[in-house]
Amino acid sequence: MSSRISVIGAGYVGLTTSACLAHLGHNVICADIDADKVVSLQNGIIPIVELGLAELVAEGMASGRLSFVVGSVEAAKSCDIAFLCVPTPQGEDGSADLSYVQRAAQEIAAVLPFEAIVVNKSTVPVGSTKVVEKALKRPDVKVVSNPEFLREGSAVQDFLKPDRVVIGSDDQAAAMKVASLYDGLSTRVIITDPASAETIKYAANAFLATKLSFINAIAAICEGVGADINDVVVGMGSDKRIGENFLRPGPGWGGSCFPKDSRALIKIAEDADYSFDLLKGVITVNDQQFDRVVQKVVRSIDGDVSEKTIAVWGLTFKAGTDDLRDSPSIEIVKRLIAKGFRVQGYDPTVTQQKTGIPNDLEISFSPIEVTVNADVLLVLTEWDDFKWISPSTVAISMAGKQIIDARNLLDRKDWERAGFTYQGIGR
Ligand SMILES: NC(=O)c1ccc[n+]([C@@H]2O[C@H](COP(=O)([O-])OP(=O)(O)OC[C@H]3O[C@@H](n4cnc5c(N)ncnc54)[C@H](O)[C@@H]3O)[C@@H](O)[C@H]2O)c1
C-alpha cells in the first residue's frame, strides 16, 4: 500500500531515501532548508555524486510521486509518515549534536496530521527518540527509530538491497506501519526497541572502523617483518568467521560518519559508565595511520622537504562520491602542507570551488596535469580511473620518480618498469 511520506533533509540520506521510497510506489515530498538545493532538484539537477540517483529522481518526478519543497512545514502538513534525515554533527564534547533533529521536529510539530508517525533516520544517540517526542509535544504522534546503513558511492543499491532494515519502537502498530514501507524489498526486517535500534547503528559503524584500524595495524607489522598485506588479507578473509570486507589497508578511515559516530559512541559509553578503551584505541591507530602516510612521503625524499611538490590523486574519502567531509586525503594533505610541502591535488569530482578544500591546496584539472614537476605522487582515493593511467606518461611529467600508493590500487611492477620507486601500504 502506498503511503504519503515527507522527508526532511535532501542530503545523501534524505535524497536517496526520497528517491527510493518513490521508486517503491510511495508519494514523497522531500524538503530542505537550502533553497538553492531545492531549486536544483526541482530542475532535475542532483547536487551530489551518487550512482543511479539521478535516474531514480527523474523517474520519481516523471511519475508524479516525488517532489521537492523548501522548508519542512510544506512537506509535513499532508503526510502519514515524516522521515528526519538532517545532520547530526559532532558536538564539542564528542557527542552527537541533536539541534538539527530537534529543530526539524519543532518545525513540523504544529502541522503534522493527526496520528502521523515521525521516523528518525539521522544517526542519533540512545534516547533520541524521547528527545524527538519532547520536541514534538504531540502525544498522538509516534516516534520510530529507523537507522540508515547506506554507504556513499552505492547509496541507491544499499537502500534497495539492504542487508537488513532496523526499526526501533515501543509501539508495535507504528513499527509495523514503518516496516510496511519496505514491503517491496526482500530483506530481513529487525523490529526492536528504540535504544537497541540506535545502538545497532553506532555498534555497526564502530565495528567497521575497528576492522579498518586493525588491518592498518597489521599492515604496519607486515612492513616491519617483510610480509605482504594483500596475501595476509586473502588468508585471513578466507576464514568465513572473518570475511574480506573492510579488511583493505589504506590511508586511514574517515568520511561523514565513522569519525563522528565513533566519538559519539565513546561519549554514549561514558554516559553509561563504561570507558570504551577499545574504540579509543581504534581512533588513535587511525590518527597514526595519517602520520604513517606523511612519514612515507618524507622518507621518500630523504627528509628534505624544501621546495618539494607532492601530487595527490584522490581527495574524497572514498571512490564513487564527491564528499570531502572528514576525508583522510584532506587530513593528510593538511599535514603535508604543515610540514612545508607544496601540494597539488586532483580528484574526478572536486574543483577548487568546493567547500572543504584547504587554502594552500591547488586543484588540477587532470590526473596528468597534477603530476607536472611533482617530486612524489601520492594515491589517496581508490578511483578506478587511476588504474588505467600509463606510468610512462606520468614519468615524463614528474620531476621525481617516487610513488606512494596508499590504497594498494596500482600495479607495482608497471610503475617500477617506468622507473618509479613504488611504496604501497603493508607490502
Ligand atoms: N552520509 C552517509 O553516508 C550516512 C549514512 C547513514 C546515516 N547517515 C546519517 O544521516 C544523517 C544525515 O546525513 P547526510 O549525510 O544525509 O547529511 P547531509 O548534510 O548530506 O544532508 C542533510 C540535509 O539536511 C538539510 N537540513 C538541515 N536542517 C533542516 C531542516 N530543519 N529542514 C529541512 N532540511 C534541513 C541540510 O540543508 C542538508 O541538505 C546524519 O545523521 C548522518 O550521520 C549518513
Side-chain angles (χ1 to χ4, degrees):
M1 207 180 69
S2 111
S3 295
R4 295 176 307 162
I5 292 169
S6 67
V7 174
I8 316 303
Y12 290 86
V13 170
L15 189 54
T16 306
T17 300
S18 300
C20 290
L21 288 176
H23 178 70
L24 293 175
H26 304 291
N27 291 302
V28 183
I29 303 178
C30 177
D32 206 286
I33 36 170
D34 182 339
D36 290 343
K37 193 181 262 190
V38 172
V39 170
S40 286
L41 288 164
Q42 285 168 339
N43 288 308
I45 300 162
I46 310 300
I48 54 173
V49 172
E50 198 55 67
L51 191 67
L53 187 56
E55 292 80 350
L56 225 52
V57 168
E59 175 198 287
M61 290 174 79
S63 70
R65 287 195 301 271
L66 176 61
S67 58
F68 298 96
V69 295
V70 179
S72 52
V73 169
E74 202 51 38
K77 61 187 183 195
S78 56
C79 71
D80 308 310
I81 301 179
F83 278 83
L84 303 183
C85 302
V86 293
T88 47
Q90 192 180 313
E92 271 172 25
D93 61 354
S95 62
D97 172 358
L98 286 179
S99 59
Y100 290 89
V101 172
Q102 284 170 302
R103 212 170 308 139
Q106 282 158 359
E107 282 166 12
I108 61 174
V111 298
L112 279 171
F114 183 64
E115 292 189 345
I117 295 172
V118 171
V119 180
N120 213 342
K121 220 177 216 330
S122 296
T123 303
V124 289
V126 177
S128 299
T129 303
K130 294 268 175 296
V131 172
V132 175
E133 279 169 4
K134 238 169 140 180
L136 285 168
K137 292 194 193 116
R138 284 277 305 263
D140 61 307
V141 170
K142 300 284 180 268
V143 180
V144 173
S145 164
N146 174 213
E148 182 51 58
F149 299 94
L150 63 78
R151 295 162 299 172
E152 286 178 26
S154 53
V156 170
Q157 165 88 3
D158 290 347
F159 194 99
L160 294 175
K161 291 192 176 143
D163 292 334
R164 76 307 209 183
V165 167
V166 173
I167 292 167
S169 176
D170 292 325
D171 186 287
Q172 191 66 8
M176 295 312 288
K177 199 158 177 194
V178 174
S180 73
L181 298 178
Y182 298 98
D183 274 351
L185 309 179
S186 59
T187 190
R188 181 174 184 192
V189 178
I190 299 161
I191 296 183
T192 180
D193 58 276
S196 302
E198 288 155 351
T199 305
I200 287 167
K201 173 64 191 171
Y202 279 106
N205 273 2
F207 187 72
L208 293 171
T210 303
K211 271 187 109 173
L212 291 172
S213 276
F214 182 87
I215 206 62
N216 281 336
I218 297 294
I221 296 169
C222 284
E223 287 174 15
V225 301
D228 186 328
I229 190 69
N230 286 358
D231 292 345
V232 173
V233 166
V234 173
M236 274 179 73
S238 303
D239 186 327
K240 288 193 189 67
R241 295 169 301 175
I242 299 172
E244 279 190 36
N245 283 336
F246 274 74
L247 272 194
R248 294 284 154 202
W253 44 266
S256 69
C257 292
F258 286 7
K260 76 173 175 68
D261 291 351
S262 44
R263 287 200 176 80
L265 185 53
I266 287 170
K267 185 69 176 55
I268 291 167
E270 233 169 77
D271 293 346
D273 227 3
Y274 178 73
S275 175
F276 203 158
D277 295 340
L278 174 62
L279 192 52
K280 289 177 192 170
V282 165
I283 293 173
T284 304
V285 167
N286 197 45
D287 195 67
Q288 289 166 353
Q289 190 68 4
F290 301 149
D291 273 339
R292 292 190 71 250
V293 174
V294 171
Q295 281 158 18
K296 276 176 190 280
V297 175
V298 173
R299 275 201 306 269
S300 74
I301 40 101
D302 298 323
D304 179 13
V305 172
S306 61
E307 309 276 308
K308 292 290 191 300
T309 299
I310 314 302
V312 171
W313 276 359
L315 297 169
T316 52
F317 81 98
K318 63 188 284 196
T321 181
D322 59 340
D323 200 345
L324 291 180
R325 291 177 288 179
D326 271 319
S327 168
S329 307
I330 296 296
E331 183 55 38
I332 289 166
V333 164
K334 283 182 184 163
R335 292 183 193 200
L336 289 169
I337 291 171
K339 283 223 172 294
F341 286 109
R342 179 164 177 256
V343 186
Q344 43 205 40
Y346 166 77
D347 187 287
T349 65
V350 175
T351 61
Q352 192 83 53
Q353 285 69 42
K354 190 160 170 75
T355 313
I357 300 286
N359 282 341
D360 295 326
L361 173 64
E362 292 166 41
I363 302 295
S364 297
F365 293 106
S366 85
I368 299 296
E369 187 202 25
V370 77
T371 63
V372 172
N373 294 329
D375 297 282
V376 182
L377 173 59
L378 174 59
V379 183
L380 290 176
T381 311
E382 73 284 23
W383 288 103
D384 248 4
D385 316 15
F386 298 149
K387 283 199 240 171
W388 319 121
I389 296 170
S390 149
S392 44
T393 310
V394 178
I396 295 164
S397 82
M398 279 181 63
K401 296 286 172 289
Q402 297 288 337
I403 175 158
I404 294 155
D405 179 3
R407 293 281 184 175
N408 291 348
L409 179 75
L410 308 174
D411 188 318
R412 172 198 287 263
K413 288 204 178 72
D414 281 354
W415 287 81
E416 285 176 345
R417 263 195 298 273
F420 281 90
T421 302
Y422 173 100
Q423 287 186 72
I425 298 279
R427 48 204 296 248

